[in-house]
Amino acid sequence: MSFEEKLSEFAQLAVRVGVNIQQGQYLLINTSTETLDFTRLVVEKAYEAGAGRVHVNLTDAVFDRAFYEHTTEEEISKFPKWIVAQREEVIERQGAILWIDAEDPDLLAGVDVAKLSAQQKASGAALVNYRKAVMNDDIAWSIIAVPSKKWAAKVFPDLPEAEQVNALWDAIFKTVHIGDGSAVENWHTHITNLEARAAQLNAKKFKKLYYNAPGTNLTIELPDKHIWLTGGSKTPLGTKFIANMPTEEVYTMPLKYGVNGTVSNTKPLVYKGNVIDEFTLTFEAGKIIKAEAQVGNDLLQELIKSDKGSSYLGEVALVPHESPISASNILYYNTLFDENASNHLAIGEAYPTCYEGGRELAEGQLESLGINTSITHEDFMIGSGEMDIDGELADGTMEPIFRKGSWAF
């Protein structure tokens, strides 16, 4: 299969499987100028699939950097209403949203942390309805990524510059099952396998999870009506979509006040164009009471102070250490990929879909059930080949879930 054929199949995959565009449906694409050629291909595939209208929002690294360097914190705190209106209309029309990421992991390194925090808070407050629609799977949405020069240089610093982008393309194609038969059929098989694993966990109805690894000794209580899910999702209208491409995880929610102990990251977290690494979080009754990072500590402190819910967890995800992305030994400096190479947790908002009937509950009702709500949702990686996880059943019986980073059943 030629490179051009792989590109075409990737664009088709994003449209037909990722957001699974429907006849006459509107599609909003959020991406950057780095992806322009590929995005044009996606737009063509979307119209061929029957999209009613496709709109592309383009950002640019120079634009973004200039915004933070020259705009005041006061102005950053004012979020434009027209951006809100655009997202609201997509939701109202039951459209779909596709993100095509190519971000430089160090794009905003050195930018005033207070400005980054102000933007997070402003956008989180303004886009509350949009965030709810995405977290509830009320609309089809998907995230994919394509190489940019700076991202490729970060991932493959030892390769000659002329080879870096192609190397990242090759790696990405493998993670999304392109190049070995039909990518669409490969994805159907892959999601079916993940759903079988989720069904096993749902049958267990674990009450608590116990994590042990170097730097980690953590207990996570789960709600009585928690549900383990996969990257395969479905809108209320029954449209199937894949939120993250790639995906290797099965995930659920923690009980907000039921997290205790200490956890350490095992891969860098790229947040707001900066790297946060070598950090440890300590929890007591669910809340982060201590956070320390050797790299990016100021930004970590701002992240967990974004709002009341950002100092609690919202997601528990299991990924075996021998997953294909982990086995590649590539550090992507991009959460979309790195979280699918490692067990991970998420600071902030929980997915209501991970609770029986949670989709229909208002924010106050979710909170009353011990389900975290927040303007943030940031995954961070904690898994390794040394991690053991045990599950406690309703009767107190303990069962192994992971041993040395791999499934124990």
Side-chain angles (χ1 to χ4, degrees):
M1 182 180 281
S2 69
F3 177 73
E4 288 72 22
E5 289 172 328
K6 290 180 180 179
L7 277 183
S8 179
E9 188 162 24
F10 193 16
Q12 184 85 325
L13 193 67
V15 169
R16 298 278 187 172
V17 177
V19 292
N20 189 12
I21 204 71
Q22 302 295 295
Q23 193 69 33
Q25 191 176 28
Y26 278 26
L27 173 63
L28 175 64
I29 300 176
N30 294 315
T31 189
S32 70
T33 52
E34 293 275 3
T35 77
L36 197 51
D37 288 341
F38 179 73
T39 298
R40 285 171 175 155
L41 187 56
V42 171
V43 170
E44 289 182 4
K45 297 293 185 184
Y47 280 124
E48 290 173 3
R53 184 182 293 268
V54 181
H55 180 79
V56 180
N57 287 332
L58 285 173
T59 61
D60 180 84
V62 175
F63 299 165
D64 289 345
R65 183 87 196 189
F67 171 72
Y68 285 104
E69 288 183 341
H70 300 291
T71 306
T72 65
E73 186 178 335
E74 180 182 5
E75 182 59 38
I76 289 174
S77 298
K78 302 173 185 175
F79 197 81
K81 293 181 179 179
W82 58 267
I83 297 179
V84 178
Q86 182 191 61
R87 306 286 177 92
E88 296 280 359
E89 184 171 357
V90 173
I91 297 167
E92 182 182 342
R93 289 178 175 272
Q94 296 177 326
I97 300 179
L98 176 66
W99 287 267
I100 306 176
D101 183 24
E103 188 172 292
D104 170 12
D106 299 313
L107 174 63
L108 302 178
V111 167
D112 185 354
V113 169
K115 288 185 175 182
L116 297 174
S117 178
Q119 171 68 4
Q120 168 70 17
K121 292 176 182 178
S123 62
L127 297 172
V128 61
N129 291 334
Y130 159 75
R131 189 181 73 250
K132 180 180 178 182
V134 170
M135 299 296 287
N136 265 353
D137 291 342
D138 291 334
I139 58 173
W141 58 279
S142 188
I143 306 172
I144 64 172
V146 301
S148 65
K149 288 184 178 180
K150 288 190 176 180
W151 179 26
K154 183 80 171 181
V155 177
F156 296 108
D158 297 329
L159 288 180
E161 182 178 348
E163 298 177 15
Q164 291 170 339
V165 169
N166 286 338
L168 187 50
W169 268 121
D170 288 342
I172 290 173
F173 286 146
K174 289 178 182 178
T175 69
V176 293
H177 308 287
I178 288 175
D180 182 20
S182 167
V184 172
E185 291 179 7
N186 290 342
W187 269 93
H188 288 321
T189 300
H190 180 55
I191 292 299
T192 297
N193 291 337
L194 289 176
E195 288 175 344
R197 182 65 71 182
Q200 289 179 300
L201 290 166
N202 284 323
K204 295 290 185 180
K205 298 187 183 300
F206 288 116
K207 183 170 68 173
K208 290 182 181 179
L209 304 178
Y210 296 83
Y211 290 71
N212 279 286
T216 293
N217 189 343
L218 190 71
T219 302
I220 299 177
E221 189 174 352
L222 304 177
D224 290 339
K225 296 183 178 181
H226 72 275
I227 304 171
W228 290 92
L229 298 175
T230 72
S233 303
K234 186 185 293 185
T235 70
L237 295 178
T239 301
K240 294 181 179 179
F241 65 95
I242 309 294
N244 294 346
M245 302 182 82
T247 183
E248 300 287 342
E249 66 180 320
V250 290
Y251 66 95
T252 191
M253 62 170 61
L255 189 65
K256 180 174 182 176
Y257 303 107
V259 182
N260 291 279
T262 300
V263 64
S264 299
N265 76 305
T266 51
K267 294 180 184 291
L269 166 61
V270 176
Y271 174 67
K272 296 295 181 185
N274 287 260
V275 174
I276 303 174
D277 199 8
E278 299 178 53
F279 61 89
T280 300
L281 305 177
T282 301
F283 294 83
E284 187 175 292
K287 188 174 184 178
I288 298 172
I289 59 170
K290 186 178 181 180
E292 295 179 309
Q294 297 301 309
V295 178
N297 186 63
D298 289 347
L299 193 55
L300 175 63
Q301 302 305 323
E302 288 295 330
L303 168 60
I304 64 176
K305 293 189 297 183
S306 297
D307 66 0
K308 291 181 180 179
S310 60
S311 57
Y312 295 84
L313 293 183
E315 181 184 343
V316 179
L318 300 179
V319 180
H321 185 63
E322 73 273 13
S323 75
I325 299 175
S326 177
S328 73
N329 291 317
I330 297 173
L331 178 60
Y332 284 89
Y333 292 96
N334 183 306
T335 301
L336 175 62
F337 296 88
D338 291 335
E339 73 169 4
N340 287 298
S342 171
N343 287 323
H344 56 273
L345 306 171
I347 292 169
E349 180 113 351
Y351 288 101
T353 49
C354 288
Y355 188 87
E356 291 179 25
R359 216 175 201 166
E360 289 75 40
L361 300 179
E363 184 173 301
Q365 292 173 303
L366 293 170
E367 282 285 351
S368 69
L369 292 167
I371 299 169
N372 195 32
T373 61
S374 174
I375 62 172
T376 63
H377 181 92
E378 292 297 329
D379 299 275
F380 63 98
M381 288 59 73
I382 65 168
S384 71
E386 300 176 87
M387 175 164 279
D388 293 341
I389 304 175
D390 291 286
E392 181 180 344
L393 299 171
D395 64 0
T397 303
M398 301 293 289
E399 288 192 2
I401 300 175
F402 268 57
R403 284 293 180 268
K404 299 299 180 184
S406 298
W407 290 106
F409 62 87

